């Protein structure tokens, strides 16, 4: 009797099922590809101007960096097309948008946020397809944060008087916005949400290599019934960006990208009276003290540099390790690197996806060769990279001197340079020894040391016992060659406003 009861118990059923199923030969994961068919791409996209699709005069092909497969034909905006977009934005600003009540403006932003949430899977797949980033990152980071940005700034739209008391905030007019390819939709949200909340209209140019999520966003704009011309999207390469910057009818330029282009834009706008914000590069120090929880710190190092293939302006690309724990940290790090899965961005198991473009891959390869030639020791875990597409294995450099190019220049790829320090003073000195000043990380169990370090690090953001954390309510931006102006939070509204009243109350 007892035997019979056991054979019908659920556990035994499970055991029986297992016996029938094939036994895994090893413990490598099976692929878990996200279905691609939720995205329907058009063959050809125009520019989105005045609420309409405008047939482009010139086009180029946008591809998937994971396999170089062409995805669609996209417009390369001419000076006339940029001018038409700016005129549409001006008309929309003067004929309605600047006059509707702030509470109405907020409703549009809330709608956009909700539509983004509803269509998040579609956007996530498209973002990974066109940009090469792992689907788990576009799904769990880019999309939720993009929607959160619109929700957050929707909340401010009718409270500007409270955000800037006694200053009578007013919109500027038309904002020209130029964004990079590392977080295409998220950077769009960072730019468009505060601009609209403050009552402006916009002309935005996505990066040449990643235009598709911005073009799909035009659909969201229509779904939210945003008045025509409030958001205009023109695609193209740097030449299109130049036209936006030069346009006399643009009141404010917001740029995220390289320091080199940022400086060129600043030169172009000097003396023009136009407002400008620049979010540029970085070479952040991620600093590990000997009292840090090492396993968590190793996760933080991995997240700091291999998240989004290291295509992150605030990436923790310089690891500063206290000398006494150098060996265990390097050993743990190398072991952890062997578990990173590099490959198909649409596979839900992938940790490191494709490099965004051939040009970026060449830049990474060039700097990595320079590191090896200068005398640093290179480590890459064994991993098989796909044959087609743009790929680079996660890389760690040890024996790095401060003067090496890999310790000075922004690589913008999955490449970490490890340096050591003995005292907190030395850590600060080394961390600040860079032309950049965007972000830093500190790992220690002592709260007082975190505060001591944060006070001395010349970086716009300092993370403590974590890395790469973002929140729409938290201002983000740099010092020195990392740019100026802040995005996010109440600070992120200010560059999109002009003021009649007295000086800021409380900053
Ligand atoms: P860019 O600064 O060239 O690109 C950023 C954006 O500006 C893109 O939309 C680009 O168009 C546009 N642009 C290019 N030239 C001009 C111009 N003269 N006037 C106005 N807009 C212009 O960066 P890259 O894409 O070339 O990347 C180069 C390096 O920059 C990377 O290796 C990385 O180190 C750094 N970078 C830093 C980023 C950050 O967030 N801090 C983001 C991206 C890059 P187009 O797409 O055609 O180039």
């Amino acid at each position: 009797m007892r035997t019979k009861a056991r054979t019908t118990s659920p556990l035994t059923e499970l055991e029986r099922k297992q016996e029938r199923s094939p036994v895994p030969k090893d413990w490598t994961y099976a692929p878990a590809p996200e279905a691609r068919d939720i995205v329907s791409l058009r063959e050809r996209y125009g520019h989105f101007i005045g609420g309409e699709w405008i047939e482009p005069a010139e086009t180029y092909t946008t591809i998937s960096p994971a396999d170089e497969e062409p995805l669609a034909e996209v417009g390369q905006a001419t000076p006339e097309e940029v001018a038409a977009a700016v005129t549409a934005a001006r008309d929309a600003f003067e004929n309605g948008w600047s006059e509707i009540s702030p509470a109405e403006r907020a409703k549009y932003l809330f709608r956009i946020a909700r539509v983004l949430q509803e269509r998040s899977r579609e956007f996530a797949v498209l973002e990974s397809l066109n940009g090469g980033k792992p689907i788990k990152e576009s799904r769990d980071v880019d999309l939720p944060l993009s929607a959160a940005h619109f929700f957050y700034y929707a909340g401010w739209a009718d409270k500007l008087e409270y955000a800037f008391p006694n200053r009578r905030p007013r919109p500027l007019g038309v904002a020209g916005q130029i964004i990079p390819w590392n977080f295409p939709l998220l950077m769009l949200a960072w730019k468009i949400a505060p601009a609209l909340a403050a009552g402006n209209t916009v002309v935005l140019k996505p990066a040449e290599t990643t235009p598709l999520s911005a073009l799909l966003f035009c659909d969201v704009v229509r779904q939210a019934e945003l008045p025509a011309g409030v958001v205009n999207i023109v695609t193209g390469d740097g030449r299109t960006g130049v036209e936006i910057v030069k346009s006399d009818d643009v009141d404010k330029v917001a740029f995220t990208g390289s320091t080199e282009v940022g400086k060129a834009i600043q030169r172009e706008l000097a003396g023009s009276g136009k407002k400008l914000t620049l979010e540029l590069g970085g070479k952040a120090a991620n600093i590990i003290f000997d009292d840090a929880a090492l396993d968590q710190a190793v996760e933080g190092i991995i997240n700091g540099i291999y998240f989004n293939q290291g295509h992150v302006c605030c990436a923790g690309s310089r690891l500063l390790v206290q000398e006494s724990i150098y060996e265990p940290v390097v050993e743990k790090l190398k072991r952890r690197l062997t578990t990173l899965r590099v490959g198909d961005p649409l596979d839900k198991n992938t940790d490191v996806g494709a490099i965004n473009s051939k040009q970026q891959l060449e830049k990474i390869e060039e700097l990595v060769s320079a590191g090896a030639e200068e005398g640093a020791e290179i480590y890459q875990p064994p991993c098989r990279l796909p044959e087609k597409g743009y790929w680079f294995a996660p890389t760690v450099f040890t024996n790095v001197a401060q003067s090496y190019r890999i310790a000075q220049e922004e690589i913008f790829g999955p490449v970490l340079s490890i340096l050591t320090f003995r005292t907190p003073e030395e850590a600060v000195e080394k961390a600040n020894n860079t032309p950049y000043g965007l972000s830093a990380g500190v790992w220690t169990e002592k709260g007082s040391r975190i505060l001591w370090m944060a006070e001395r690090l010349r970086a716009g953001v300092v993370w403590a016992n974590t890395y790469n954390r973002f929140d729409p309510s938290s201002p983000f931006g740099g010092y020195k060659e990392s740019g100026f102006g802040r995005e996010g939070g109440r600070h992120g509204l200010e560059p999109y406003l002009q003021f009649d009243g007295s000086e800021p109350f409380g900053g």
Side-chain angles (χ1 to χ4, degrees):
M1 274 306 277
R2 211 180 281 157
T3 318
K4 196 174 177 197
R6 226 184 264 150
T7 51
T8 53
S9 76
L11 187 67
T12 318
E13 262 310 297
L14 197 67
E15 282 166 354
R16 277 223 227 105
K17 270 191 192 155
Q18 268 178 354
E19 260 170 35
R20 288 198 299 267
S21 53
V23 179
K25 290 200 180 59
D26 60 29
W27 288 102
T28 48
Y29 293 106
E34 178 71 53
R36 217 187 117 151
D37 53 8
I38 191 163
V39 171
S40 54
L41 287 170
R42 292 193 225 155
E43 261 174 43
R44 187 181 164 92
Y45 289 86
H47 306 293
F48 187 70
I49 299 177
E52 302 292 332
W53 288 108
I54 304 297
E55 184 58 26
E58 296 168 25
T59 60
Y60 68 94
T61 306
T62 184
I63 64 164
S64 155
D67 55 10
E68 298 166 65
E69 176 202 348
L71 295 176
E73 288 294 299
V74 178
Q76 162 65 49
T78 60
E80 295 73 28
E81 287 163 340
V82 172
V86 174
T87 304
R90 175 65 55 194
D91 284 351
F93 179 73
E94 281 170 5
N95 303 314
W97 185 247
S98 58
E99 269 136 42
I100 68 166
S101 80
E104 281 299 307
R105 273 205 317 264
K107 280 190 205 166
Y108 289 111
L109 289 171
F110 277 123
R111 274 189 213 160
I112 292 173
R114 281 197 301 267
V115 179
L116 280 178
Q117 283 186 323
E118 280 160 19
R119 299 179 66 174
S120 67
R121 202 169 137 241
E122 183 186 359
F123 269 99
V125 171
L126 184 61
E127 205 70 321
S128 289
L129 202 55
N130 198 198
K133 63 172 66 197
I135 185 74
K136 71 176 176 192
E137 289 178 7
S138 29
R139 181 194 63 197
D140 299 345
V141 181
D142 296 60
L143 260 297
L145 275 177
S146 301
H149 248 78
F150 279 98
F151 275 124
Y152 175 77
Y153 280 109
W156 272 124
D158 61 350
K159 300 175 196 71
L160 298 178
E161 296 285 346
Y162 298 96
F164 305 100
N166 302 322
R167 296 180 70 194
R168 290 191 290 281
R170 285 183 296 120
L172 294 167
V174 177
Q177 307 182 316
I178 300 165
I179 57 172
W181 39 261
N182 50 348
F183 295 92
L185 186 73
L186 185 58
M187 288 302 105
L188 174 148
W190 279 30
K191 297 277 180 288
I192 293 185
L196 299 196
N200 303 279
T201 57
V202 306
V203 175
L204 178 136
K205 184 193 97 64
E208 178 190 4
T209 56
T210 53
L212 294 180
S213 55
L215 293 168
L216 185 61
F217 181 78
C218 302
D219 236 29
V220 175
V221 164
R222 279 186 164 174
Q223 238 179 305
E225 297 177 2
L226 197 70
V230 172
V231 168
N232 304 276
I233 308 278
V234 287
T235 55
D237 61 17
R239 290 168 293 171
T240 308
V242 170
E243 291 303 320
I244 294 176
V245 172
K246 279 196 334 205
S247 169
D248 289 336
D249 214 14
V250 162
D251 302 293
K252 187 235 155 35
V253 173
F255 172 80
T256 299
S258 64
T259 297
E260 189 194 347
V261 173
K263 283 182 179 174
I265 293 177
Q266 195 174 8
R267 275 195 297 273
E268 174 72 33
L269 294 188
S272 69
K274 286 182 200 170
K275 277 210 175 191
L276 173 65
T277 39
L278 297 175
E279 299 284 349
L280 309 175
K283 190 75 190 173
N286 203 358
I287 305 164
I288 320 289
F289 283 97
D290 59 6
D291 61 348
L294 286 197
D295 290 323
Q296 280 98 317
V298 167
E299 287 310 305
I301 298 166
I302 295 281
N303 172 34
I305 186 64
Y306 303 114
F307 168 63
N308 201 30
Q309 297 72 248
H311 299 332
V312 184
C313 47
C314 50
S317 53
R318 279 185 303 152
L319 180 65
L320 298 185
V321 185
Q322 196 153 20
E323 219 169 74
S324 51
I325 50 160
Y326 174 77
E327 270 148 27
V329 167
V330 172
E331 195 199 312
K332 278 173 188 280
L333 187 61
K334 286 184 176 172
R335 202 180 323 139
R336 179 68 175 87
L337 271 181
T338 61
T339 66
L340 288 181
R341 288 175 60 81
V342 185
D344 182 5
L346 287 181
D347 187 330
K348 285 170 241 166
N349 292 326
T350 293
D351 299 306
V352 180
I355 300 300
N356 183 266
S357 66
K358 187 161 182 268
Q359 191 191 16
Q360 188 59 28
L361 179 60
E362 286 167 359
K363 179 181 168 184
I364 297 168
E365 286 170 343
E366 198 254 316
L367 277 161
V368 166
S369 315
E373 273 161 33
E374 280 181 307
E377 207 170 290
I378 188 168
Y379 172 78
Q380 290 175 327
C383 63
R384 203 181 311 136
L385 301 178
E387 274 170 19
K388 272 189 101 182
Y390 314 129
W391 301 93
F392 201 83
T395 302
V396 168
F397 274 115
T398 49
N399 281 341
V400 180
Q402 290 245 74
S403 58
Y404 291 178
R405 285 180 68 198
I406 51 168
Q408 291 287 329
E409 295 179 33
E410 186 179 45
I411 302 176
F412 225 61
V415 183
L416 179 69
S417 301
I418 308 185
L419 299 107
T420 56
F421 67 92
R422 288 185 184 164
T423 62
E425 289 78 6
E426 189 187 346
V428 169
E429 204 163 308
K430 284 187 166 162
N432 288 342
N433 180 16
T434 165
Y436 296 109
L438 193 56
S439 58
V442 179
W443 296 80
T444 170
E445 66 159 21
K446 292 189 185 62
S448 57
R449 182 175 279 164
I450 292 170
L451 297 174
W452 191 90
M453 293 291 292
E455 219 179 339
R456 286 160 181 80
L457 290 168
R458 294 212 63 209
V461 179
V462 179
W463 284 291
N465 294 327
T466 187
Y467 207 90
N468 273 338
R469 291 268 162 192
F470 302 97
D471 188 281
S473 63
S474 171
F476 182 89
Y479 289 108
K480 301 194 282 184
E481 296 212 353
S482 292
F484 49 80
R486 293 292 178 264
E487 292 185 301
R490 189 175 57 111
H491 303 67
L493 288 165
E494 195 159 354
Y496 289 99
L497 291 164
Q498 51 186 318
F499 301 94
D500 295 334
S502 58
E503 275 308 291
F505 174 74

